[in-house]
Amino acid sequence: MGEEQLALTHVGEHQGDYLNAVTPPVFLTSLHIFDSMEEYRNHKETGAYVYGREGNPTVEILEQKVAALERGTRAVAFSSGMAAFSAAMLAVCKAGSHIICMRDVYMPVKGILNGYFIPRMGMSVSYWDGRSLEELESLIRGNTAMILLESPATFVFSVVDIAGVAQIARAHGIRTYIDNTYCTPLYQKPLDMGIDIVMHTMSKYIGGHSDIIGGILAVKDEVLGQALYEQIRPWFGGILGPMEAWLAIRGLRTLNLRVEKHQETAMAVAAFLENHPRVEKVYYTGLDSHPQAALIKRQQTGHTGLMSFVIQGRPDQAMQVVDKLKVFEIGCSWGGFESLALCPLTGATQEELDFLQLREKDRGLIRIHCGLEGADVLLEDLEQALG
Ligand SMILES: *Cc1c(COP(=O)(O)O)cnc(C)c1O
């Protein structure tokens, strides 16, 4: 933890470069100027900043912290998680590439695959349930370029054998991408398990205060990192803004404290729900009843504040429970200070449920994020809403 603590609080910061201010400035500048044409011409060699679409000193502090936390050689920050995902796709794939994608990845990822990369770029996608490595291997084709993972995924918190997938992918020369947002860079280190590209959505725990949109990629491979930093991001133009970077830097300073608290509260809430007579099932990575508990213990060092549960009853009754919650607000995001609840699947078609391999009962799934209000308040709120 010592090294990580330093990354959260100090790495990338050079107070002497900004008048010994203890926190770095928000470098709200679109360009950097030069003393001579000679210096301008040599900017690549000297590493000088030139123009804000290519790089920004505040953004770079954030990138150095996340690279250190993920044990990568480079991190590259984007204006959203989806911009970061798109950049990863554009860096690795080409027209006609075949992708293998886990079934329960973040829905807009499937949206852009089905709505853009397949019809407009001639790509093809095979969906994988994330369980059998033999099945994964059988899906590989000659033109498979990338495997898309999210672990844990955020409806029923299925996890995938990250090292197992990485090993198969490497043997076939296929790149791997994982959405590591749920675990934060603290509780899971996919690059160490052989994954090529790790993504974090910074509106969740990294930002932590529900006040920014941003995404970041971390990689070990220097060639891939350089392609993302020098080509894909400036070409497509999706760099994170300096104000958002500054807020993310501030978020990181307390990330370890916050996720510990989210975890502690969520553990208490999950145990309460699991023992509640009106609750049929709880989905949380911290429970021993999780069907993949052994794998989770092997590759995750912690859990955060997000879980789902299903009540004994119909989906409309689940919605009533959510409506009755007072401390939990109704909202679709997570990772901030506030507790949130939502029924994300009540409108799902049968086809969508089947695709996700969920039960009819899961249509009434209630997803909750346990914020920083403390377990007592949340248990009381859940008790009255379920009563
Ligand atoms: C919120 C979220 C995203 C999307 O990130 P944006 O910054 O909103 O583009 C991607 N993956 C997961 C798991 C998320 O929760």
Side-chain angles (χ1 to χ4, degrees):
M1 189 66 214
E3 208 177 299
E4 291 199 321
Q5 185 60 58
L6 282 178
L8 295 173
T9 49
H10 294 288
V11 163
E13 302 186 50
H14 305 283
Q15 282 86 352
D17 291 351
Y18 21 86
L19 306 176
N20 289 332
V22 70
T23 65
V26 185
F27 280 93
L28 281 176
T29 187
S30 60
L31 81 157
H32 296 256
I33 52 176
F34 294 83
D35 286 338
S36 67
M37 272 310 299
E38 182 72 8
E39 276 188 24
Y40 179 75
R41 278 183 25 197
N42 291 333
H43 69 79
K44 264 218 153 75
E45 289 75 55
T46 61
Y49 292 103
V50 177
Y51 184 62
R53 200 186 66 251
E54 295 165 350
N56 171 281
T58 313
V59 174
E60 196 151 316
I61 294 170
L62 169 69
E63 291 171 340
Q64 288 186 12
K65 286 180 187 297
V66 173
L69 289 165
E70 285 288 359
R71 303 194 188 123
T73 58
R74 198 193 272 277
V76 187
F78 294 86
S79 55
S80 70
M82 284 304 290
F85 164 71
S86 304
M89 286 289 293
L90 295 164
V92 171
C93 304
K94 58 185 186 187
S97 288
H98 173 247
I99 309 295
I100 299 173
C101 180
M102 255 175 68
R103 282 177 181 272
D104 46 0
V105 296
Y106 186 61
M107 287 231 231
V109 164
K110 282 171 274 190
I112 191 174
L113 290 176
N114 294 330
Y116 187 84
F117 286 112
I118 297 173
R120 306 279 287 269
M121 300 276 284
M123 294 191 192
S124 54
V125 177
S126 299
Y127 286 99
W128 175 51
D129 70 6
R131 299 293 170 96
S132 155
L133 293 178
E134 290 78 53
E135 192 197 330
L136 173 71
E137 206 148 16
S138 77
L139 295 173
I140 292 172
R141 302 181 193 165
N143 62 337
T144 304
M146 183 135 89
I147 301 175
L148 303 178
L149 308 172
E150 182 177 324
S151 182
T154 61
F155 279 143
V156 295
F157 304 92
S158 59
V159 298
V160 64
D161 178 350
I162 297 172
V165 173
Q167 199 179 4
I168 290 172
R170 293 210 161 193
H172 290 84
I174 300 167
R175 292 285 196 187
T176 44
Y177 164 100
I178 191 167
D179 185 327
N180 200 28
T181 306
Y182 174 91
C183 275
T184 83
L186 298 178
Y187 289 162
Q188 188 162 268
K189 307 284 187 193
L191 295 182
D192 280 350
M193 296 182 233
I195 295 292
D196 293 305
I197 307 178
V198 170
M199 195 282 280
H200 288 280
T201 303
M202 294 193 291
S203 60
K204 313 290 165 50
Y205 291 113
I206 289 181
H209 297 73
S210 300
D211 51 11
I212 57 167
I213 296 288
I216 194 160
L217 300 176
V219 299
K220 259 201 214 300
D221 182 317
E222 288 176 29
V223 175
L224 184 55
Q226 200 171 0
L228 286 164
Y229 187 82
E230 290 179 11
Q231 299 178 339
I232 300 297
R233 190 175 65 180
W235 283 345
F236 290 91
I239 193 170
L240 185 72
M243 188 69 218
E244 283 76 10
W246 192 89
L247 287 164
I249 292 167
R250 185 165 73 169
L252 284 176
R253 297 197 200 285
T254 57
L255 179 67
N256 57 335
L257 304 173
R258 289 185 288 106
V259 293
E260 273 168 31
K261 184 70 183 174
H262 285 293
Q263 170 169 228
E264 179 194 313
T265 302
M267 286 296 232
V269 167
F272 164 85
L273 290 171
E274 205 166 41
N275 290 312
H276 197 285
R278 270 207 77 192
V279 174
E280 186 260 335
K281 196 170 175 57
V282 183
Y283 296 102
Y284 183 56
T285 58
L287 290 173
D288 288 336
S289 59
H290 192 294
Q292 296 166 290
L295 175 58
I296 291 171
K297 284 203 176 77
R298 218 161 64 224
Q299 63 188 21
Q300 274 176 235
T301 53
H303 318 279
T304 54
L306 197 66
M307 72 183 73
S308 297
F309 64 99
V310 180
I311 60 162
Q312 308 276 9
R314 301 183 309 269
D316 61 301
Q317 292 171 315
M319 290 199 279
Q320 284 166 15
V321 170
V322 169
D323 283 339
K324 275 167 90 178
L325 289 165
K326 295 194 176 86
V327 179
F328 287 89
E329 305 283 359
I330 298 174
C332 65
S333 189
W334 45 277
F337 61 93
E338 76 283 28
S339 291
L340 294 166
L342 196 70
C343 294
L345 295 173
T346 45
T349 61
Q350 191 57 46
E351 201 185 346
E352 284 164 336
L353 274 193
D354 292 345
F355 178 81
L356 291 169
Q357 298 173 326
L358 296 178
R359 311 165 306 161
E360 178 57 31
K361 277 182 178 166
D362 292 320
R363 192 183 288 285
L365 187 97
I366 299 175
R367 193 182 72 178
I368 57 171
H369 176 249
C370 300
L372 297 173
E373 300 91 342
D376 292 354
V377 180
L378 300 188
L379 294 184
E380 203 177 301
D381 197 25
L382 287 163
E383 181 70 66
Q384 65 80 21
L386 287 166

